[in-house]
C-alpha cells in the first residue's frame, strides 16, 4: 500500500497505539508531537487505540476528554470496548456481563495467589485493575512511581516475571477462551479471545480502504501483535514517538 502523496480523501486512516508510540510509556504527549499529529491529520484522518481506560488515554494525550476527541477522528480505549467517533460514543462492552462473575473471580483469585508468592525489588498497590473489557494485572502494582516502573521493566527483562505469570495463567485457564497479552512496562491484559485491538476495526473497515497501524509492541505476545498482523491492516513497527514521527514524515511527503 503506497502512502506517499496521500490526501485527505477519507479512504485512508492512520491508527496509533498510545504508549511507546505517540508518548513515552505512561507519559504526556510532547507539545511537539501533539502539534505534529495535527499536521498529519490535515492529510490523513487519525485514530488512537489503547489498552488503557479512557481516563489514562486522556491524561496522556490531552487536557480533557473533549480536548482529545477534538484532536483525533476516532478514540478507542480498552482496545475499543469504549470508543468515540468525534463526540459520538459507541456502545460500551462489559467484561463482567459477557464473561460472568464466577469465572472472573477464579482468574482474579489465581492472580492474587500467584503474585503473593513473588519476591520483587518492590511491591506497591493496585495489582489488578478491572476495566470494561479486560483485567489489567501488574505484579509490581500500578501505583508505583515512574522510577519504580522503569526499574521493574528492567528487572522484568532479565527475570521474565510477566512472561512466566502469563504462561501459568494460560495453563490454568486453557479452556476459558482468554488471551493474556503483555503490554507497556509493568502489566499485562486479560480478555476474551477477539477482544484485542482488532476489536476496534469493526468501526473502521467499512469507511476506509486502507488502515495503517503504528505500534511498538508488535512481536508475538505483545498487545499490538494481533492488529499488526490482521489482514485488514498494514502494520508498522515503531520504537518510540521520535520513530513514529520520522516514519510519518516519510509517508506524508
Amino acid at each position: 500500500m503506497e502512502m506517499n502523496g496521500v490526501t485527505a480523501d477519507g479512504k485512508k486512516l492512520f491508527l496509533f497505539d498510545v504508549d511507546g508510540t505517540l508518548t513515552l510509556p505512561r507519559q504526556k504527549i510532547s507539545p511537539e508531537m501533539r502539534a505534529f499529529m495535527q499536521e498529519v491529520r490535515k492529510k490523513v484522518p487519525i485514530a488512537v487505540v489503547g489498552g488503557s481506560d479512557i481516563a489514562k488515554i486522556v491524561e496522556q494525550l490531552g487536557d480533557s476528554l473533549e480536548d482529545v476527541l477534538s484532536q483525533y477522528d476516532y478514540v478507542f480505549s480498552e482496545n475499543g470496548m469504549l470508543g468515540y467517533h468525534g463526540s459520538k460514543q459507541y456502545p460500551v462492552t462489559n467484561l463482567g456481563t459477557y464473561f460472568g462473575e464466577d469465572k472472573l473471580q477464579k482468574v482474579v483469585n489465581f492472580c492474587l495467589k500467584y503474585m503473593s508468592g513473588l519476591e520483587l525489588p518492590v511491591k506497591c498497590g493496585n495489582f489488578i485493575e478491572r476495566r470494561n473489557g479486560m483485567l489489567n494485572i501488574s505484579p509490581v502494582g500500578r501505583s508505583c512511581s515512574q522510577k519504580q516502573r522503569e526499574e521493574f521493566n528492567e528487572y522484568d527483562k532479565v527475570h521474565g516475571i510477566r512472561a512466566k505469570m502469563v504462561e501459568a495463567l494460560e495453563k490454568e485457564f486453557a479452556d476459558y477462551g482468554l488471551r493474556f497479552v503483555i503490554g507497556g512496562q509493568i502489566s499485562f491484559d486479560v480478555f476474551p479471545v477477539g477482544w484485542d485491538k482488532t476489536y476496534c476495526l469493526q468501526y473502521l473497515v467499512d469507511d476506509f480502504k486502507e488502515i495503517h497501524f503504528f505500534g511498538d509492541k508488535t512481536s508475538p505476545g505483545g498487545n499490538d501483535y494481533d492488529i499488526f498482523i490482521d489482514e485488514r491492516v498494514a502494520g508498522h513497527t515503531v520504537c518510540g514517538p521520535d520513530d513514529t514521527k520520522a516514519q510519518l514524515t516519510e509517508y506524508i511527503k
Side-chain angles (χ1 to χ4, degrees), residues 118-125 127 138-141 143-145 147-153 155:
L118 292 176
E119 292 188 7
L120 304 175
V122 65
K123 283 186 176 180
C124 301
F127 300 101
S138 175
V140 67
S143 59
C144 63
S145 67
K147 183 174 184 292
Q148 290 166 334
R149 167 185 289 268
E150 293 168 359
E151 289 173 347
F152 174 81
N153 187 46
Y155 186 86

Side-chain angles (χ1 to χ4, degrees), residues 105-114 168-169 172-173:
Q105 286 198 27
K106 284 183 173 63
V107 177
V108 168
N109 290 342
F110 181 90
C111 289
L112 289 171
K113 183 177 180 180
Y114 185 99
L169 282 159
E172 181 71 17
F173 299 102

Side-chain angles (χ1 to χ4, degrees), residues 70-122:
S70 72
Q71 294 179 58
Y72 299 88
D73 297 280
Y74 298 83
V75 176
F76 298 104
S77 66
E78 302 183 48
N79 294 347
M81 301 299 120
L82 174 62
Y84 296 87
H85 179 198
S87 60
K88 174 189 173 184
Q89 181 180 324
Y90 295 115
V92 179
T93 304
N94 185 275
L95 181 65
T97 301
Y98 174 87
F99 196 56
E101 192 64 34
D102 289 345
K103 283 189 172 182
L104 270 183
Q105 286 198 27
K106 284 183 173 63
V107 177
V108 168
N109 290 342
F110 181 90
C111 289
L112 289 171
K113 183 177 180 180
Y114 185 99
M115 288 187 290
S116 72
L118 292 176
E119 292 188 7
L120 304 175
V122 65

